[in-house]
Amino acid sequence: MPDSLPASDLLHDIVAAALKAGADGAEAATAERSSLSVGVRNGALEDVEREESRDLGLRVFIGKRQATVSASDLSEATRTRLVERAVAMAKLAPEDPYAGMVPAAELARGPFPDLQLFDPSERSAAELEQVAREAEAVALAVPGVSKSEGGHAGTASTRWRLVTSEGFDGAYASTGFSLGVGVIAEKDGAMERGGESRSTRWLEDLPGPEGIGAEAGARAIAKLGPRKIASTTAPIIFERRVATQVLSPLLGAISGLAIARGTSFLKDRMGQQVLPKGVGLVDDPFRIRGMASAPFDDEGSPVQARNLVDDGVLTTWLLNHSAAAQLGLTTTGHASRGLVGPSGVQTHNLHLTPGDADLNGLMGQAGTGLVITSMFGPSLNANTGDWSAGVSGYWFENGEAAYPVSEITVAGNLVDLWMRLVPGSDLEFRGGFNSPSVLFDGVAIAGK
């Protein structure tokens, strides 16, 4: 790379250049990424993709005006033009009364904890191809599986660094390893898709191809022969893999940006019950090897473990610096941003606290009802909390699985549904948001 500098020197230099050009404040970030992914189908190599990138983003402030620019060419000439363009854009931008940077006194300070997000292990293209082939072969060997939609394996590493004119300088690196396969099961001319995939920070934590393939085949077989059911009202259980999808609207509803706009059905619920007593929603940025762990947020603010919902009671909004300023509060360390545009908000490692019964136990408690294993096309009224989604899964009777069902819709008001939530005990940490299976009684089901 021409005119290359170490990332820390480059960012300090570009921030200094922005201030010299007339900015009142500036923050610069670099994102470096490398990835390798391999896909196979029917035992044959289908595609290989490799990516190597290093990008720079600059945000400048002039009074209450701001502008952001980015580039992938980091030469000195490009950096000079980048600063000039950013300052010129900021001078013409409309004023935002809440625009600004996290002040020095509120910034995170190192040394930052080692969250074990980076694994130096490597997998070659040949190794990725081999494990993808093995996972696909195991899935195809499951009786009833007729076709493959392909196996895939990948590895990636990223490095993020942020420097601000208020004195913040922080960086961390992370890795990811993935393996998955999709197949089609067939019975009496009818076909159903199923699949399984996993991603982990460390290679040693990634399940092997045997388990991935067997689970993919089993999930496809379980969908064969679905029935349509009549519209009814019955208990429903969201399997843990999809339970987060009925909970995720809560995150949008407590986003400080939505609260400031007044477009949230939870805007008047701070300090009130939103989940049953005894149930919590935990946000933990410090989970070792967590898929959403971070030592600081994307504006340089400190992060902390906290219960977003504690004993069923909503305790906080999700705030970045701008949203906090609008609400007269302080940031909660949930700023999220890329290299361009203003900050949004996002959680870290989030999980719903588990209950006492596993999936079979929840089915036993409910007696008869529906277990949802996949969901599509959810619809939400952000002002009222009215929600619906197309789903498929299986019907159970007397606490036992009876037959698969599809082409149905479930609906209700989330404020009401969440208050009737019964969490299972089968919590598993797989991604950035995890939940045990959850049971709701008396939900409207639209069928044939």
Side-chain angles (χ1 to χ4, degrees):
M1 183 178 65
D3 301 315
S4 62
L5 290 170
S8 58
D9 294 340
L10 183 152
L11 294 182
H12 283 289
D13 285 356
I14 200 168
V15 166
L19 298 179
K20 185 177 180 180
D24 297 322
E27 58 184 33
T30 50
E32 301 176 53
R33 175 179 170 82
S34 65
S35 65
L36 175 64
S37 63
V38 174
V40 302
R41 188 187 294 266
N42 297 319
L45 180 64
E46 188 170 57
D47 58 72
V48 180
E49 295 184 3
R50 182 185 294 275
E51 176 191 355
E52 301 270 351
S53 63
R54 187 185 185 199
D55 300 304
L56 167 69
L58 172 65
R59 181 163 65 154
V60 301
F61 297 84
I62 297 179
K64 291 297 182 180
R65 295 179 170 88
Q66 64 176 314
T68 61
V69 292
S70 67
S72 54
D73 173 10
L74 306 190
S75 66
E76 183 176 358
T78 298
R79 299 198 304 270
T80 299
R81 290 195 299 271
L82 202 69
V83 169
E84 293 172 349
R85 187 178 302 120
V87 171
M89 290 169 58
K91 290 178 179 178
L92 298 175
E95 285 199 354
D96 177 353
Y98 306 108
M101 304 174 61
V102 178
E106 299 176 17
L107 290 168
R109 301 296 179 186
F112 299 112
D114 179 10
L115 303 177
Q116 298 183 25
L117 304 182
F118 184 86
D119 179 5
S121 302
E122 295 183 358
R123 266 186 166 173
S124 67
E127 291 171 324
L128 294 173
E129 180 182 354
Q130 180 61 32
V131 293
R133 285 178 189 269
E134 291 175 8
E136 182 190 51
V138 171
L140 285 171
V142 174
V145 172
S146 60
K147 297 181 178 66
S148 171
E149 293 194 305
H152 56 86
T155 178
S157 66
T158 61
R159 180 177 176 84
W160 167 265
R161 188 175 199 105
L162 174 68
V163 169
T164 80
S165 57
E166 289 292 314
F168 181 81
D169 185 348
Y172 62 94
S174 61
T175 49
F177 298 86
S178 63
L179 177 62
V181 62
V183 291
I184 297 173
E186 186 171 0
K187 181 180 180 181
D188 300 328
M191 294 182 288
E192 295 290 338
R193 288 184 169 89
E196 170 71 339
S197 62
R198 289 293 302 273
S199 297
T200 58
R201 289 293 186 200
W202 283 59
L203 178 58
E204 67 185 22
D205 297 330
L206 187 68
E210 299 82 5
I212 295 287
E215 181 66 19
R219 293 181 69 81
I221 293 297
K223 295 181 178 180
L224 286 172
R227 304 183 192 180
K228 295 182 180 179
I229 60 175
S231 297
T232 186
T233 297
I236 61 172
I237 299 172
F238 290 86
E239 183 191 53
R240 65 186 178 193
R241 294 168 182 264
V242 296
T244 56
Q245 295 182 52
V246 74
L247 295 168
S248 59
L250 190 151
L251 307 181
I254 66 172
S255 160
L257 304 173
I259 301 301
R261 292 192 301 266
T263 56
S264 166
F265 61 93
L266 294 182
K267 62 185 179 182
D268 300 318
R269 301 299 294 270
M270 177 58 66
Q272 298 182 25
Q273 205 85 23
V274 295
L275 295 176
K277 289 184 68 65
V279 179
L281 194 59
V282 181
D283 185 59
D284 183 5
F286 302 124
R287 179 174 296 281
I288 298 300
R289 303 188 183 185
M291 296 303 292
S293 297
F296 49 84
D297 81 356
D298 287 354
E299 291 179 327
S301 294
V303 294
Q304 68 179 77
R306 66 176 78 219
N307 292 342
L308 306 183
V309 177
D310 189 16
D311 196 24
V313 175
L314 179 62
T315 67
T316 184
W317 307 129
L318 304 177
L319 301 174
N320 60 19
H321 179 69
S322 175
Q326 293 181 66
L327 296 171
L329 301 170
T330 57
T331 177
T332 57
H334 288 103
S336 170
R337 59 165 300 207
L339 295 179
V340 294
S343 295
V345 296
Q346 71 175 14
T347 55
H348 305 291
N349 297 293
L350 193 67
H351 74 270
L352 186 77
T353 55
D356 299 323
D358 61 10
L359 177 59
N360 289 330
L362 293 179
M363 292 167 60
Q365 291 179 29
T368 297
L370 174 67
V371 172
I372 294 171
T373 59
S374 62
M375 186 188 309
F376 54 91
S379 174
L380 172 69
N381 184 320
N383 291 304
T384 66
D386 291 332
W387 173 89
S388 64
V391 300
S392 62
Y394 57 89
W395 191 256
F396 62 93
E397 297 175 348
N398 299 316
E400 300 288 339
Y403 48 83
V405 296
S406 64
E407 298 182 28
I408 52 180
T409 299
V410 295
N413 183 275
L414 291 177
V415 174
D416 175 60
L417 285 176
W418 290 335
M419 286 299 295
R420 292 152 42 208
L421 175 152
V422 179
S425 62
D426 55 347
L427 176 65
E428 182 182 17
F429 292 100
R430 293 168 63 103
F433 187 6
N434 302 282
S435 171
S437 299
V438 293
L439 164 67
F440 301 92
D441 65 349
V443 178
I445 301 173
K448 61 183 180 180

